[in-house]
Amino acid sequence: MRFPRWAIPAAAALTASGVLLTACGQETAGKKQNTSAGSAQQVQQPQVPANEPAAPAETASLEVASVNKIGKVVTDGEGRTLYRFDKDTARPPASTCVEACAQAWPPVMAGQQAVQVKGVDESLVGKVKRADGTWQVTLGGWPLYRYAKDQSPGDVKGQAVQGTWYAAAPTGKKAVAKEAQPSQPPQQGNGGGNGNGGGGWAGWTTIKVRMDQKLGMIVTDGKGRTMYRFDKDKPKVSNCSGDCRAKWPIVTFNGFKKLKVSGVDRSLISFIERSDGKPGECQLLINGWPMYYFAKDAKAGDTKGQAVQNVWWVVSPEGKKITTKAGGGDGGYGGGY
């Protein structure tokens, strides 16, 4: 079973973004690009600090994330929100954001290779020639941009700036705020793959550490359930599906906006999208390694999965495996897992 190969690092707490990232994977998709050249002219610029635009990437990537109160938006391969500009045109495609505007709103540049997409209709992706001769990625004909003030994956500080800049929806249309929904009382989680925080943190991804007398400092969820990593995985790649997944449930990643971390460096936290679960289901990574529970761990503090078949291990706060054998055996779960 192959899974998407990328993950978004949580470089900083997303305290003002309102983002719940749910569609997070990436896979290479070869495609034919629609190419249209458009004219460009200078326009009134947003009042933001001028930063140098990002250098064109070798391969541009378009992903999909879900944003609270907005809905699905398009991001780049690093999780940064992509925007469209009302003063541009889609038919024909043309960018009117140049010079100082392009400093504040760096264009998403088209590289030599085809744009990689995940969750976006390839037929909507194209490119347009800018006034300086470079090529910019378009979606539904609309040129795409980043926002210089978005410092972390998931930030959407550019949304509705001057009433002309909007996050791009996967269809290429602008994403607009949804009507507020009545808040729901917190539900009690069961400590499993969903709602691993429990209590008031139900629906959150909660990561803690605790001292185990035999194993040292190990990583758990908010209810004290031990997390494990699998030697047959690779960084950012899960090789546990089907029967394996039933025995080793994944630790679900519920978005940076619903992430609570204590005792683990937040920069080590990232995630991948699973292709064998419900759409948009994401799995927590620590230091690149997918995280799992052990189905036979019945209560907080159990470490029955430790050293099972010499491929399953509890995890240190640095995301490294702890290979001290604490009576793991195979836990009654054979079959290579």
Side-chain angles (χ1 to χ4, degrees):
M1 176 68 69
R2 296 182 59 202
F3 297 104
R5 298 296 200 262
W6 81 285
I8 303 175
L14 307 183
T15 58
S17 64
V19 174
L20 175 60
L21 301 176
T22 56
C24 50
Q26 173 176 318
E27 58 188 4
T28 301
K31 62 175 292 297
K32 295 181 179 180
Q33 296 193 23
N34 298 321
T35 303
S36 301
S39 60
Q41 61 184 24
Q42 190 171 358
V43 297
Q44 183 69 29
Q45 310 306 342
Q47 299 300 313
V48 293
N51 296 324
E52 291 297 326
E58 281 295 322
T59 304
S61 298
L62 302 183
E63 316 294 340
V64 176
S66 183
V67 179
N68 288 341
K69 298 182 181 180
I70 297 178
K72 291 184 177 180
V73 303
V74 179
T75 68
D76 65 10
E78 296 181 347
R80 295 188 62 183
T81 303
L82 302 183
Y83 299 87
R84 45 166 281 179
F85 185 31
D86 281 354
K87 295 183 180 180
D88 287 348
T89 60
R91 297 182 181 178
S95 170
T96 60
C97 181
V98 297
E99 299 181 1
C101 176
Q103 300 285 332
W105 301 88
V108 179
M109 308 307 296
Q112 296 279 336
Q113 301 178 8
V115 177
Q116 295 179 349
V117 299
K118 177 62 179 180
V120 176
D121 187 343
E122 294 181 35
S123 67
L124 297 176
V125 181
K127 60 182 180 179
V128 61
K129 193 172 185 180
R130 294 176 54 80
D132 61 2
T134 59
W135 291 88
Q136 182 175 359
V137 177
T138 63
L139 181 62
W142 290 94
L144 296 178
Y145 306 84
R146 299 176 181 87
Y147 185 42
K149 283 191 171 182
D150 284 350
Q151 297 299 314
S152 303
D155 281 354
V156 285
K157 297 176 183 177
Q159 179 69 359
V161 166
Q162 293 193 341
T164 55
W165 290 92
Y166 293 91
T171 58
K173 297 180 179 179
K174 57 186 177 184
V176 295
K178 296 180 178 180
E179 294 183 4
Q181 299 296 323
S183 59
Q184 299 295 325
Q187 299 178 354
Q188 296 294 324
N190 60 7
N194 295 314
N196 59 18
W201 296 107
W204 287 61
T205 301
T206 307
I207 304 167
K208 296 184 177 181
V209 297
R210 71 171 182 86
M211 174 60 72
D212 183 274
Q213 291 183 352
K214 295 181 179 179
L215 302 171
M217 296 297 291
I218 64 174
V219 178
T220 73
D221 68 8
K223 296 188 72 175
R225 291 194 64 190
T226 304
M227 296 186 191
Y228 299 86
R229 51 175 277 185
F230 183 33
D231 280 351
K232 294 184 180 181
D233 284 349
K234 297 179 181 178
K236 303 180 183 179
V237 179
S238 169
N239 288 312
C240 180
S241 59
D243 186 53
C244 174
R245 175 170 171 169
K247 299 168 182 176
W248 299 90
I250 70 169
V251 179
T252 302
F253 181 85
N254 293 315
F256 288 112
K257 185 64 176 178
K258 290 192 172 183
L259 174 64
K260 181 175 175 61
V261 184
S262 176
V264 176
D265 188 336
R266 197 179 182 92
S267 68
L268 297 178
I269 307 303
S270 53
F271 58 90
I272 55 173
E273 184 180 0
R274 301 286 303 201
S275 63
D276 60 345
K278 61 184 179 181
E281 182 181 47
C282 300
Q283 182 174 6
L284 173 70
L285 308 181
I286 298 181
N287 199 21
W289 288 91
M291 293 291 107
Y292 305 84
Y293 298 109
F294 185 44
K296 284 196 170 184
D297 282 350
K299 63 183 184 298
D302 281 354
T303 56
K304 296 177 182 178
Q306 175 65 357
V308 166
Q309 295 194 342
N310 288 322
V311 292
W312 291 94
W313 309 98
V314 298
V315 180
S316 75
E318 296 75 33
K320 297 180 179 180
K321 63 184 180 182
I322 298 174
T323 56
T324 302
K325 295 184 179 181
D330 69 358
Y333 281 171
Y337 298 114

